[in-house]
């Protein structure tokens, strides 16, 4: 039976509404909406709905209906969802999100992979899907040491292998989850049937003279993106605690910090509502708020900034790369092949950084086709 029984007490709900209603808003700037950061009009509208209209109890009930479990691994609590496949030949797969996402964002993808017949048709493969919460994200404890005594990829392998009994499995990840998935393939290639990634790591060693024109262009675009859009990453990597005080104390501050990313990194055309419902965005923010984990969610960036496991050697596992056009990076296949054994490379027609909820059908089919191909080669 599921072991997570989420219930936020009424006092916490009242405190959230009090904080929202007493927000001290900054003075307006004479610039177009979104140009200097989160738009005040959109943020006020969402904050008003969060305080009066948004039904947390309905969201809480939906979360409590999920197949949610907790387990202790190396003395730390790890929360995960487990969706059993509808067919007896279901293949195990672990899905890993990034920031500012949570396990909740992966539910539409997990449901399609595990029960494809309930979502418009058959897929060439069916899965038993495991969705762990990252350490320090919502219901999984952050590790007490830095660097962590047990890295996240090792946590995931112990969960899949030791706790759930899967000798071999697939793994999918985007954003931070792509890095965790890649390192999982390096640490346990014997257990990984294949990796499905929405982002790829740069090679540990690079001879610039060997780069193609397409690869040079890709690196130039990344540098420009970092210069124009990467301020959040620099803050997370260098002074996350300074930011954590504000985000942990102000729900409007927390909401403003994350919805800018949902708008900028998605295939929204600048309109949040074209890709995400208000209820979804506020459920994400509420999960961070009620668990007080927005501060601990910044830690992976700080670790990366300190060079923890920064270099990534070649990953010896069959790998699929799926690129959504509005996502941050669009690496050419030749760039991915410098680090991975790329056997499938897909440029999607639409979608962005949050593809598991933006385009779950496209993503589920790509994962299933990749897994079916890998299984066919092995047989």
């Amino acid at each position: 039976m599921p072991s997570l029984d989420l219930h936020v007490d009424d006092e916490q709900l009242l405190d959230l509404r009090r904080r929202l209603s007493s927000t001290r808003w900054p003075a307006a700037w004479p610039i177009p909406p979104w140009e200097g950061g989160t738009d005040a009009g959109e943020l006020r509208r969402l904050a008003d709905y969060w305080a009066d209209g948004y039904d947390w109890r309905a969201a809480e009930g939906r979360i409590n209906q999920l197949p949610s479990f907790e387990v202790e691994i190396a003395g730390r609590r790890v929360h995960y969802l487990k969706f059993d496949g509808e067919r007896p030949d279901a293949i195990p797969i672990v899905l890993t999100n990034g920031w500012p996402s949570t396990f909740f964002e992966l539910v539409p993808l997990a449901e399609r992979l595990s029960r494809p017949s309930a979502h418009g048709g058959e897929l060439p493969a069916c899965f038993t899907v495991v969705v762990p919460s990252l350490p320090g994200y919502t219901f999984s404890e952050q590790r007490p040491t830095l660097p962590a005594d047990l890295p996240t990829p090792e946590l995931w392998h112990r969960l899949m292998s030791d706790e759930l009994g899967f000798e071999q499995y697939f793994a999918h990840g985007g954003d931070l989850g792509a890095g965790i998935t890649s390192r999982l393939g390096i640490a346990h290639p014997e257990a990984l049937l294949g990796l499905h990634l929405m982002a790829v790591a740069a090679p540990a060693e690079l001879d610039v003279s060997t780069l193609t024109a397409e690869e040079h262009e890709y690196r130039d675009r990344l540098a420009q993106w970092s210069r124009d859009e990467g301020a959040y990453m620099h803050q997370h990597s260098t002074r996350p605690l300074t930011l954590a005080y504000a985000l942990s104390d102000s729900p409007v501050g927390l909401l403003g910090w994350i919805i800018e990313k949902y708008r900028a990194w998605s295939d929204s055309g600048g309109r949040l509502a074209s890709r995400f419902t208000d209820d979804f965005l506020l459920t994400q923010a509420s999960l961070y708020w009620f668990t007080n984990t927005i501060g601990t969610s910044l830690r992976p960036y700080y670790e990366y900034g300190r060079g923890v496991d920064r270099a990534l050697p070649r990953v010896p596992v069959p790998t699929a790369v799926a690129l959504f056009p509005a996502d941050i990076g669009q690496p050419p296949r030749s760039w991915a092949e410098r680090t991975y054994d790329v056997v499938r490379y897909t440029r999607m027609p639409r979608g962005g950084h949050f593809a598991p909820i933006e385009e779950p059908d496209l993503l589920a089919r790509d994962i299933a086709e990749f897994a079916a191909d890998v299984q066919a080669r092995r047989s």
Side-chain angles (χ1 to χ4, degrees), residues 29 31-39 260:
W29 284 39
I31 57 176
W34 298 103
E35 186 172 296
T38 304
D39 174 53
E260 181 199 353

Side-chain angles (χ1 to χ4, degrees), residues 9 23 69 104 128-129 131 137 154 182 189 199 213 224 248 251 262 281 291 314 334-336 344 376:
D9 62 44
T23 298
F69 304 87
F104 187 68
T128 289
V129 185
V131 184
Y137 285 54
E154 191 62 30
S182 298
Q224 181 178 351
S248 300
Y262 276 102
L281 294 171
T291 59
R314 185 163 182 81
S334 59
W335 179 259
R344 182 181 177 92

